[in-house]
Amino acid sequence: MTTTAPVVGFDQVSKAYGEVRAVDGLTLTLRPGETVALLGPNGAGKSTTLDLLLGLKQPDSGSVRLFGTTPREAIIAGRVGAMLQSGGLMDEVTVAELVKLACALHPKPYPVSDVLARAGVAQIADRKVNKLSGGQAQRVRFALATAGDSDLIVLDEPTTGMDVTTRQAFWATMREQADQGRTVLFATHYLEEADAIADRVLVLHRGRLLADGTAAEIKAKAGARRIAFDLEGTIEEGPLRGLPFLTSVDISGQTVRIQSTDADATVHALYGLGVYPRNLEVAGLGLEQAFVAITEAEEARTS
């Protein structure tokens, strides 16, 4: 089944729970081969967006299309694999039995042994699912999401509970999936993962799309830079907070870290205070700082 339609299309999609708008007029398009990170604070609408994408919930208005069809049609055709944060696994069955079932239900299944190996659960294939650790259970959920040849893989907080080594192996596998032309959409609280893995970042806030671009573009959108330096003696926070274009100040021991929307003017004013910083560094915001700056600016705008 081939199509030139976008992988995912949201057109003015809204979903409310009572007076709370979980998704508010969301419009976005995902293309084949993209690895896309979905970011947002708690309550931003990430999980509801994924539920709408997978047809688990219906929008109050607007439309959701996958490969030019409805989510249900795309899933029945085996074009979507999903790893959700919520929802339990079947108890009293082994990992191998559960993966075998998932493969049997997929229209284009992979061999069970390949699925177990790719997810890193071959060594625990005979273990009962209810005896797994949190990280092991996450790997089993990943195995279920990749039991067949799907064109879109949707992951909701996929590495929660995984140790560092397992997380690295997981993302290496996901890079392979993307390199083969699949679209990968993942929601995460680990912003360093989004920075390292995603070639596109979506920032949601109160159900609306605040930013859409590469990690570098998101950082630039924040419009601030980081300034770090060391000072000797007692550090007075008051004069530092009076520096122009400042957005934040953090003092830890003799090290000062500040953010500024005009780093040149801030540093010039710093010397004007008669302060002589050592080890002065000026750099762009990391994705985490940019994410915080963008969402805080939106909060200030709407409050």
Side-chain angles (χ1 to χ4, degrees), residues 281-303:
E281 296 180 359
V282 179
L285 295 185
L287 184 60
E288 181 172 356
Q289 292 90 354
F291 167 78
V292 171
I294 289 171
T295 54
E296 285 184 347
E298 180 66 10
E299 284 284 356
R301 189 186 70 81
T302 57
S303 61

Side-chain angles (χ1 to χ4, degrees), residues 226-230 255-258 277-283:
R226 292 178 295 172
I227 304 169
F229 53 88
D230 296 329
T255 301
V256 179
R257 296 179 180 88
I258 58 182
R278 295 180 293 108
N279 304 318
L280 179 66
E281 296 180 359
V282 179

Side-chain angles (χ1 to χ4, degrees), residues 97-270:
E97 289 169 337
L98 188 56
V99 171
K100 184 177 180 179
L101 174 62
C103 292
L105 293 173
H106 200 286
K108 298 177 288 182
Y110 292 125
V112 173
S113 58
D114 290 354
V115 176
L116 292 169
R118 183 187 304 112
V121 293
Q123 293 182 336
I124 57 172
D126 295 330
R127 188 173 302 178
K128 293 288 184 68
V129 170
N130 56 316
K131 301 297 183 182
L132 300 176
S133 68
Q136 290 170 337
Q138 283 295 88
R139 282 185 277 162
V140 171
R141 291 187 178 96
F142 173 61
L144 302 181
T146 56
D149 185 8
S150 301
D151 299 305
L152 168 65
I153 301 175
V154 180
L155 310 165
D156 191 3
E157 302 291 346
T159 57
T160 300
M162 293 184 185
D163 60 37
V164 173
T165 301
T166 305
R167 284 169 62 187
Q168 291 174 342
F170 173 86
W171 286 117
T173 301
M174 294 317 304
R175 287 192 191 96
E176 293 174 3
Q177 298 288 313
D179 289 344
Q180 293 169 12
R182 295 178 180 86
T183 301
V184 178
L185 172 65
F186 67 97
T188 183
H189 280 96
Y190 297 118
L191 271 68
E192 69 274 15
E193 289 184 345
D195 203 354
I197 303 299
D199 45 44
R200 182 178 171 194
V201 175
L202 308 176
V203 179
L204 285 184
H205 183 71
R206 295 186 179 179
R208 296 190 300 108
L209 187 62
L210 286 190
D212 178 358
T214 65
E217 288 168 343
I218 299 300
K219 295 171 191 176
K221 182 180 175 66
R225 295 180 68 81
R226 292 178 295 172
I227 304 169
F229 53 88
D230 296 329
L231 292 176
E232 295 181 351
T234 302
I235 300 176
E236 297 290 340
E237 184 174 333
L240 293 177
R241 288 197 174 276
L243 292 170
F245 303 103
L246 213 63
T247 60
S248 69
V249 177
D250 177 68
I251 300 174
S252 177
Q254 300 302 114
T255 301
V256 179
R257 296 179 180 88
I258 58 182
Q259 292 182 16
S260 168
T261 55
D262 187 334
D264 292 337
T266 301
V267 171
H268 179 76
L270 180 66

